[in-house]
Amino acid sequence: MSQVRVVGDGAPTRITIWTDAPEEAEAYASETGGVRRIIFPLRSNAYSAEGPGGGGVTVWSLNPGRLEFALDRPMSVARVLRLPPTGTEKSYRVIVDLDTVSEARFSSLAKRDQRRLAKAETDAAKAAETQTAILAGAGAAAAGRKAPPRSKGHVVVIDAGHGGKDPGAMAINGGREKDVTLKAALALRDLLEADGRYVVKLTRDTDVYVDHEDRVTKARNWGAELFISLHADAAGSSSVAGASVYTISARGEGRIDREASRNNWVIPIEDGTPQRLTGILSDLVKRETKTRSAEFAELLLPELEQAGPVLRNTHRSAGFYVLLAPDVPAVLLELGFLTNADDAKRLQSDKGRQAAVRAIKNAIDTYFDRQDVRLASQ
């Protein structure tokens, strides 16, 4: 999910939900402990967020698998519309119209929907189990590529943005983005290698230019389990400051298959897998990659907040080329704004740089702790 908007006055109130993939769920009324909600299950979400409402909706809250709208009055779902991407709108949309109803009517709907929601969530869980079984039956296909031996550690690829003929953004104090990103990449490499838990690869470790497709290809060839592209932003206003994190957008997803075919980024499927399963397995790998990218981004944000300022709506989506690998979880991290004096000074100082890379390291540790727990439970 990328955005939620609530407008109206209760007669009706319209909720619009922008998503990166089609969502087929219905909207359900809920009433527990005197609290009224409209609940919309989401299948393609792995992070949490919240925002303001309106027209009878006090606030919306997003958690993995579920989007909830708290109500200040009894309201029913009048209709649900699902719209595909268009020429000007690149995301999928779900439109939910609500109308104010009596308390008795809402209570009746909530009792009915409680049973319907429970069944829908049970069916979704069974479908997820079926997908897992398909992946397991196909052997190593879900992994996409052969992972390096566990004894060598998790493979993390750090991409220092720009380089060589491409200086990137110019800092307000005269520095260059390509130098900031390289120093940060080297510092992060040193920090990770000192841990002993990771195999660290750099797409560049000197002031050279590397094509975008080569950066992604290198990461895949190295068996990357996580790809982090480091950048520093620029803005027209010198007052704009703070870090931000990008994962793949819906529009960017549309480029993945095309670029994968052009660059031979093939997701290997185990020999002997039935043809009818290969497409399913490839789609599941890409979906899992997107989910893990979003998971890492959400783990990174609170760590970045401890190291310096962050932008509002800090987790963003875009179609940056370095995010297009079909089977490597990836984020693009803007460390701050070189056009802001405080950010530029922070990113060009040893103290500020170390705070930033320590934040990234903490998020990487938590991310792989969770991956290890999942692996151990399988």
Side-chain angles (χ1 to χ4, degrees), residues 51-331:
V57 176
T58 58
V59 65
W60 60 264
S61 59
L62 174 68
N63 291 292
R66 178 180 282 201
L67 178 61
E68 297 187 0
F69 300 88
L71 306 179
D72 65 9
R73 69 194 74 171
M75 306 182 78
S76 68
V77 177
R79 66 172 179 170
V80 178
L81 298 177
R82 297 172 182 83
L83 303 177
T86 64
T88 57
E89 177 56 69
K90 303 304 181 183
S91 296
Y92 293 88
R93 285 169 292 163
V94 179
I95 296 174
V96 182
D97 286 337
L98 305 179
D99 278 328
T100 301
V101 296
S102 68
E103 292 185 1
R105 174 62 175 162
F106 184 89
S107 294
S108 175
L109 292 172
K111 289 179 181 178
R112 179 202 67 183
D113 283 0
Q114 183 176 356
R115 297 188 296 269
R116 296 173 63 222
L117 176 59
K119 183 179 186 302
E121 292 184 328
T122 298
D123 291 345
K126 289 180 179 178
E129 290 176 0
T130 300
Q131 289 183 341
T132 300
I134 291 174
L135 287 174
R145 290 160 291 113
K146 290 184 178 180
R150 179 57 61 203
S151 60
K152 291 184 179 180
H154 294 290
V155 180
V156 179
V157 175
I158 306 165
D159 173 48
H162 305 281
K165 65 182 181 181
D166 178 12
M170 302 302 294
I172 196 170
N173 58 5
R176 300 174 297 184
E177 181 181 0
K178 68 174 184 177
D179 300 322
V180 169
T181 60
L182 180 57
K183 288 180 179 179
L186 293 171
L188 180 56
R189 177 200 63 186
D190 293 345
L191 193 61
L192 290 171
E193 288 185 340
D195 184 295
R197 185 182 177 188
Y198 305 103
V199 174
V200 185
K201 300 288 187 178
L202 301 184
T203 58
R204 69 179 183 96
D205 57 8
T206 60
D207 184 19
V208 296
Y209 178 75
V210 181
D211 287 333
H212 290 137
E213 54 265 38
D214 289 340
R215 298 174 192 244
V216 178
T217 298
K218 285 182 176 184
R220 296 189 73 253
N221 290 344
W222 286 326
E225 297 173 68
L226 185 63
F227 178 94
I228 304 170
S229 187
L230 300 178
H231 288 258
D233 219 334
S237 171
S238 61
S239 64
V240 180
S244 56
V245 182
Y246 289 84
T247 52
I248 193 69
S249 65
R251 185 172 184 177
E253 283 186 87
R255 300 170 59 197
I256 289 177
D257 288 342
R258 181 171 67 252
E259 292 301 321
S261 176
R262 190 169 72 88
N263 292 284
N264 198 31
W265 298 337
V266 178
I267 301 175
I269 303 298
E270 185 177 279
D271 292 342
T273 300
Q275 183 63 38
R276 63 185 177 82
L277 293 181
T278 57
I280 296 175
L281 293 171
S282 294
D283 287 343
L284 288 175
V285 170
K286 287 184 285 187
R287 185 184 301 174
E288 180 70 9
T289 299
K290 178 183 175 182
T291 298
R292 293 191 178 185
S293 299
E295 179 183 350
F296 177 70
E298 290 300 312
L299 293 172
L300 183 55
L301 294 178
E303 298 294 343
L304 291 172
E305 289 177 340
Q306 302 300 314
V310 297
L311 288 177
R312 294 180 62 185
N313 301 319
T314 312
H315 183 178
R316 303 178 171 201
S317 61
F320 296 126
Y321 198 98
V322 291
L323 302 178
L324 296 181
D327 48 1
V328 179
V331 301

Side-chain angles (χ1 to χ4, degrees), residues 184 188 191-192 226 228 230 296 300 303-304 307 333 335 353-366:
L188 180 56
L191 193 61
L192 290 171
L226 185 63
I228 304 170
L230 300 178
F296 177 70
L300 183 55
E303 298 294 343
L304 291 172
L333 169 58
L335 293 162
R353 189 162 48 247
Q354 284 300 319
V357 300
R358 171 58 65 181
I360 301 170
K361 166 68 160 55
N362 290 342
I364 292 171
D365 288 344
T366 303

